[in-house]
């Protein structure tokens, strides 16, 4: 009987290793062509050191193994997958081991869509969204917006990064513009104060931040994060306090790193 009780934990371990879902065994190694596409289309990747590029590639592979990307009304190309995965990795690159526990699928639409998820007809003005309710765990992205976000180096916008920042925000249980699991508690109140002060400047036309940021605190966080990742030098020059706060939240000092 004693031997039986000794065997129980051993059997449990055996069953664990047999049945566990370890996506690391499903990682797809990026080909040289994939890496060339990343370098050609993802400015963030271009600025990484050789060592960090390898880590970026590993995180891309991990994401693609864990999250299913499906086309709705459009085929999904290798470039589409690489850009979606890059959008997911960029905001969390400063974290050692981050997994999007609140995401299972990304649905890629050919273009903008409406609130009924239709991508044909009128009233189509949505570029991307994170699902809730029965759509929980899903993200919808416009392919046109995805490509545009990585093709225009002069802008401050990237729809896919915007949506993945919403997911980060949501990871603490509330999509409220305050990623409490990414920042120390004592920084929460100053961050909220900073949000509202900048919103007032946007309303008065005294800020170059996209006016969509005044929709609410969650949209503010996502919009300024796009700016932070797309144009870090410009963002730091024009909004030093906001830049420092986001550098702390994301554990990335891009303006400094890029010139190191």
């Amino acid at each position: 009987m004693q031997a039986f009780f000794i065997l129980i934990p051993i059997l449990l371990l055996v069953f664990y290793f047999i049945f566990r879902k370890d996506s690391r065994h499903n990682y797809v190694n990026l080909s040289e062509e994939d890496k060339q596409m990343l370098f050609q289309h993802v400015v963030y990747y271009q600025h990484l050191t050789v060592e960090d590029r390898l880590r970026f590639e590993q995180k891309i592979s991990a994401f693609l193994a864990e999250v299913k990307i499906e086309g709705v009304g459009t085929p999904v190309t290798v470039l589409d997958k690489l850009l979606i995965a890059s959008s997911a990795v960029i905001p969390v690159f400063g974290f050692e081991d981050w997994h999007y526990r609140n995401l299972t699928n990304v649905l890629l639409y050919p273009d903008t869509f409406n609130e009924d998820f239709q991508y044909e007809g009128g009233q189509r003005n949505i570029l991307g969204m994170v699902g809730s309710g029965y759509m929980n765990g899903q993200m919808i992205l416009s392919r046109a917006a995805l490509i545009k976000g990585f093709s225009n180096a002069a802008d401050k916008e990237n729809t896919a990064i915007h949506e993945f920042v919403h997911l980060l925000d949501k990871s603490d249980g509330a999509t409220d513009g305050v990623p409490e699991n990414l920042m120390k508690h004592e920084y929460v109140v100053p961050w909220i104060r900073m949000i509202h002060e900048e919103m007032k400047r946007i309303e008065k036309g005294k800020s170059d931040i996209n006016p969509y940021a005044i929709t609410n605190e969650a949209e503010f966080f996502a919009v300024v994060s796009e700016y932070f990742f797309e144009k870090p030098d410009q963002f730091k020059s024009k909004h030093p306090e906001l830049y420092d706060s986001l550098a702390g939240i994301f554990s990335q000092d891009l303006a400094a790193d890029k010139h190191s």
Side-chain angles (χ1 to χ4, degrees):
M1 181 64 71
Q2 186 175 1
F4 173 78
F5 285 110
I6 293 173
L7 282 172
I8 288 177
I10 297 173
L11 289 170
L12 289 173
L13 278 174
V14 170
F15 282 119
Y16 169 75
F17 284 110
I18 290 174
F19 294 107
R20 69 174 178 167
K21 293 181 179 178
D22 189 345
S23 59
R24 285 176 295 183
H25 297 298
N26 299 319
Y27 286 6
V28 177
N29 291 325
L30 299 187
S31 68
E32 288 305 315
E33 291 180 353
D34 295 337
K35 296 173 188 178
Q36 288 172 11
M37 277 193 278
L38 279 177
F39 191 84
Q40 181 180 354
H41 294 277
V42 182
V43 174
Y44 182 99
Y45 177 79
Q46 294 172 13
H47 290 145
L48 295 176
T49 63
V50 173
E51 182 180 350
D52 280 344
R53 281 181 196 164
L54 177 59
R55 193 161 62 87
F56 191 89
E57 292 158 12
Q58 291 169 341
K59 288 180 178 290
I60 291 266
S61 296
F63 178 83
L64 292 175
E66 295 169 352
V67 177
K68 187 174 183 181
I69 299 174
E70 303 174 87
V72 178
T74 185
V76 178
T77 68
V78 172
L79 178 59
D80 293 333
K81 290 183 178 182
L82 290 173
L83 294 184
I84 290 170
S86 294
S87 307
V89 170
I90 287 171
V92 300
F93 193 65
F95 311 135
E96 187 65 31
D97 187 30
W98 181 276
H99 298 270
Y100 288 94
R101 308 293 184 191
N102 51 357
L103 181 69
T104 57
N105 293 69
V106 175
L107 303 179
L108 189 64
Y109 279 27
D111 208 333
T112 52
F113 51 97
N114 60 27
E115 293 181 353
D116 296 321
F117 313 118
Q118 301 297 313
Y119 55 87
E120 295 177 341
Q123 303 299 315
R124 296 182 296 109
N125 59 0
I126 303 176
L127 302 176
M129 67 176 294
V130 172
S132 59
Y134 74 93
M135 288 289 287
N136 199 44
Q138 315 265 342
M139 178 186 290
I140 304 176
L141 288 174
S142 154
R143 185 173 186 273
L146 171 70
I147 299 300
K148 182 181 178 182
F150 283 95
S151 63
N152 187 356
D155 72 2
K156 302 167 288 190
E157 300 173 8
N158 186 305
T159 295
I161 288 177
H162 180 110
E163 297 306 326
F164 278 102
V165 169
H166 276 321
L167 274 184
L168 285 179
D169 187 7
K170 189 178 181 181
S171 66
D172 64 5
T175 311
D176 56 5
V178 184
E180 294 188 55
N181 56 347
L182 303 181
M183 60 196 309
K184 293 181 179 179
H185 181 71
E186 60 265 30
Y187 295 148
V188 170
V189 172
W191 170 244
I192 294 173
R193 186 182 301 119
M194 202 179 301
I195 288 175
H196 292 147
E197 287 174 355
E198 191 62 35
M199 279 181 166
K200 290 176 183 176
R201 282 191 280 270
I202 296 171
E203 286 178 330
K204 294 176 181 178
K206 297 181 178 180
S207 175
D208 68 334
I209 292 172
N210 187 331
Y212 187 65
I214 67 174
T215 304
N216 54 47
E217 291 86 349
E219 294 301 343
F220 180 93
F221 178 43
V223 166
V224 296
S225 295
E226 292 179 72
Y227 194 163
F228 175 83
F229 287 112
E230 287 288 299
K231 303 291 287 183
D233 289 333
Q234 181 178 322
F235 187 63
K236 184 173 185 176
S237 174
K238 293 180 177 291
H239 309 278
E241 288 187 78
L242 275 172
Y243 177 91
D244 288 343
S245 292
L246 290 178
I249 289 172
F250 294 116
S251 294
Q252 301 186 58
D253 191 353
L254 299 179
D257 290 347
K258 197 166 69 171
H259 302 294
S260 58

